[in-house]
């Protein structure tokens, strides 16, 4: 029905909500600025303390790897859930283990695989240079953004098939091909040139997240930028954070760049920095409390599970974790050119099964190994 001329329909949106919906998706004009306030200094100090405690958390090797894997699965479930609300945790587990879903659920499986590609790339690129500079680059940010979107061409489909086999450098094909928009270059240039922001992992993460969230409002997994910077800056060195809006603090952290963007329209980032760092501090402390409970739960476990592994056991565990499920021959291939003989690998795999670290299905040549408690088939 056409409303009568001269009459205006009443809007149910607030003035602020209308501004958020109609504001341009572009960076504010420079100069950008901020003030070092007591609240900001206090939050940054607490963040440094919490990050140090997280890094030094007295967890066993296998428990830490288990928590890393669980955090990864929860992040994938959250990302896929934006488009597919019916996705189930067991489906994520199955697809990560190499299984296929029934035909009508295969689009969900494809979304899970794509989210896993980004996660594998995050794990690689945020820690690729030991002791070096692993901070986010504009080329990698654009590669993350492209990889997060749906497959749109035959070339992307081929890349997906490739990346599921070579998970170590899954974004290399996109990094070289990705063009950096001028606005993204401006964002990174300012971030890298500001005397304080360039040296603060927290403020650098906050600035890049703010800018990319503004420039790409449809990019659901833009929080991968936060994960990358927090890992590269050793604030989440082991990848244990789960920014999935599961708690009030997580929601506030992820929403700060959206809700409070209005206050940065004139280029003043002070209020945004204060809110971001306050929320991040609470997120880290929540995770510390969870890690404390995980440590308490280890006390009843057998010593062989809690004890640190030697180099070969650790490599075997990581290969099985990466592949999901595999026979001994595939595991040898996964170990690379310096792999020990097959018989040595088979003996070690059997030892890890006996210790309760790995699970085995099948016998002899048909044996398939998975992480204990995860059958890899969903």
């Amino acid at each position: 029905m056409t409303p009568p001329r001269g009459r205006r329909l009443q809007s149910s949106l607030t003035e602020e909500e209308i501004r958020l919906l109609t504001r341009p998706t572009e960076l504010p004009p420079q100069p950008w600025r901020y003030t070092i306030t007591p609240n900001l200094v206090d939050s940054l100090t607490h963040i440094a303390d919490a990050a140090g405690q997280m890094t030094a958390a007295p967890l066993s090797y296998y428990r830490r790897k288990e928590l890393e894997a669980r955090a990864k699965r929860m992040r994938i479930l959250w990302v896929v859930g934006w488009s597919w609300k019916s996705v189930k945790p067991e489906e994520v587990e199955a697809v990560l283990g190499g299984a296929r879903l029934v035909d009508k659920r295969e689009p969900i499986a494809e979304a899970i695989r794509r989210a896993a590609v980004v996660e594998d790339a995050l794990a690689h690129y945020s820690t690729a240079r030991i002791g070096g500079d692993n901070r986010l680059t504009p080329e990698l940010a654009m590669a993350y953004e492209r990889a997060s979107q749906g497959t749109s061409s035959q070339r992307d489909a081929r890349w997906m098939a490739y990346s599921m086999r070579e998970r170590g450098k899954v974004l290399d094909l996109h990094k070289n091909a990705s063009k950096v928009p001028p606005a993204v270059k401006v964002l990174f240039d300012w971030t890298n040139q500001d005397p304080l922001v360039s040296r603060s992992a927290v403020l650098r993460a906050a600035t890049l997240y703010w800018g990319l969230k503004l420039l790409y409002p449809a990019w659901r997994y833009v929080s991968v930028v936060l994960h990358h910077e927090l890992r590269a800056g050793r604030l989440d060195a082991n990848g244990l954070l789960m920014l999935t809006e599961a708690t009030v603090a997580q929601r506030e952290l992820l929403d700060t760049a959206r809700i409070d963007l209005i206050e940065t329209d004139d280029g003043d980032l002070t209020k945004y920095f204060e809110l971001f760092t306050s929320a991040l501090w609470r997120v880290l402390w929540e995770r510390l409390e969870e890690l404390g409970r995980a440590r308490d739960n280890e006390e009843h476990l057998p010593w062989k599970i809690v004890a640190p592994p030697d180099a070969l056991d650790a490599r075997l565990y990581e290969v099985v974790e990466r592949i999901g499920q595999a026979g001994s021959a595939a595991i040898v291939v996964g170990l690379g050119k310096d792999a020990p003989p097959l018989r040595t690998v088979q003996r070690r795999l059997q030892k890890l099964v006996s210790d309760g670290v790995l699970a085995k299905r099948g016998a002899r040549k048909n044996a398939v190994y998975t992480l204990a408690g995860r059958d890899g088939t969903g």
Side-chain angles (χ1 to χ4, degrees):
M1 179 178 179
T2 303
R5 289 185 179 181
R7 294 182 60 184
R8 299 179 63 184
L9 295 177
Q10 293 294 324
S11 172
S12 61
L13 299 176
T14 66
E15 182 177 346
E16 182 177 350
E17 289 173 332
I18 293 175
R19 288 184 65 194
L20 282 170
L21 290 172
T22 59
R23 69 189 307 274
T25 55
E26 59 187 27
L27 298 172
Q30 294 195 26
W32 302 340
R33 60 201 179 278
Y34 57 90
T35 301
I36 305 299
T37 64
N39 287 339
L40 179 57
V41 172
D42 188 55
S43 293
L44 289 172
T45 302
H46 286 304
I47 288 171
D49 179 37
Q53 291 191 50
M54 277 188 60
T55 302
L59 296 168
S60 70
Y61 172 85
Y62 292 123
R63 176 51 63 92
R64 191 181 299 277
K65 297 297 289 184
E66 176 189 336
L67 291 172
E68 284 181 43
R70 180 175 182 273
K72 172 183 173 179
R73 295 196 301 272
M74 293 303 294
R75 289 191 297 267
I76 291 175
L77 181 66
W78 175 69
V79 170
V80 176
W82 277 101
S83 302
W84 303 93
K85 295 187 182 301
S86 64
V87 63
K88 302 174 183 177
E90 54 266 31
E91 290 177 320
V92 173
E93 188 73 40
V95 173
L96 292 182
R100 290 183 58 86
L101 303 183
V102 295
D103 288 346
K104 67 178 182 179
R105 305 289 286 178
E106 191 55 29
I108 294 179
E110 180 71 7
I112 293 171
R113 295 186 193 104
R114 181 166 288 278
V117 164
V118 177
E119 281 287 334
D120 290 335
L122 169 64
H124 174 75
Y125 286 109
S126 62
T127 59
R129 300 184 184 91
I130 299 176
D133 187 358
N134 293 305
R135 295 182 302 174
L136 192 67
T137 65
E139 293 79 14
L140 182 54
M142 291 297 91
Y144 277 141
E145 191 274 336
R146 183 178 178 186
S148 298
Q149 307 308 316
T151 301
S152 57
S153 68
Q154 185 177 359
R155 179 179 181 274
D156 276 350
R158 290 198 302 269
W159 174 73
M160 281 290 292
Y162 167 85
S163 64
M164 291 305 290
R165 295 195 301 270
E166 301 292 341
R167 291 185 170 184
K169 299 180 179 179
V170 293
L171 292 193
D172 278 347
L173 295 179
H174 279 283
K175 281 179 64 180
N176 296 329
S178 297
K179 294 183 178 180
V180 178
V184 175
K185 186 178 185 302
V186 168
L187 173 66
F188 274 84
D189 285 347
W190 185 89
T191 302
N192 292 331
Q193 293 169 9
D194 184 85
L196 178 58
V197 173
S198 62
R199 292 184 293 175
S200 169
V202 177
L203 297 184
R204 193 173 192 277
T207 303
L208 295 177
Y209 181 62
W210 159 72
L212 292 172
K213 183 86 171 176
L214 178 60
L215 294 171
Y216 297 92
W219 183 7
R220 294 296 191 185
Y221 198 16
V222 66
S223 58
V224 69
V225 171
L226 287 183
H227 285 292
H228 185 110
E229 286 296 297
L230 295 179
R231 291 190 197 183
R234 307 296 293 173
L235 296 168
D236 180 29
N238 298 302
L240 301 180
L241 283 183
M242 293 181 290
L243 303 181
T244 61
E245 298 184 322
T247 67
V248 172
Q250 289 183 24
R251 287 193 294 274
E252 289 183 358
L253 178 64
L254 295 176
D255 285 346
T256 300
R258 178 179 63 84
I259 295 175
D260 298 291
L261 278 171
I262 299 301
E263 300 188 17
T264 66
D265 278 354
D266 63 350
D268 189 346
L269 301 176
T270 304
K271 182 65 174 179
Y272 167 67
F273 279 169
E274 287 183 336
L275 294 172
F276 179 93
T277 54
S278 176
L280 178 58
W281 170 31
R282 285 181 285 120
V283 166
L284 290 172
W285 274 106
E286 284 180 348
R287 196 61 173 135
L288 269 176
E289 292 178 352
E290 294 170 352
L291 294 180
R293 291 192 290 271
R295 172 63 181 174
D296 292 341
N297 292 337
E298 279 194 325
E299 294 181 355
H300 72 282
L301 296 175
W303 177 83
K304 290 181 178 180
I305 294 180
V306 178
D310 64 17
L312 179 55
D313 282 357
R315 289 176 64 198
L316 288 171
Y317 183 92
E318 290 169 0
V319 169
V320 174
E321 179 188 40
R322 185 175 71 248
I323 297 176
Q325 59 177 349
S328 55
I331 292 172
V332 170
V333 173
L335 289 171
K337 63 181 181 179
D338 297 326
L342 176 60
R343 290 188 177 225
T344 300
V345 170
Q346 289 173 329
R347 284 197 300 270
R348 287 298 190 97
L349 289 171
Q350 189 56 50
K351 170 182 172 293
L352 292 175
V353 171
S354 300
D355 291 347
V357 174
L358 297 181
K360 178 182 177 182
R361 188 175 67 254
R364 300 196 176 193
K365 293 183 179 181
N366 296 322
V368 173
Y369 298 89
T370 64
L371 301 187
R374 296 162 59 186
D375 63 14
T377 62

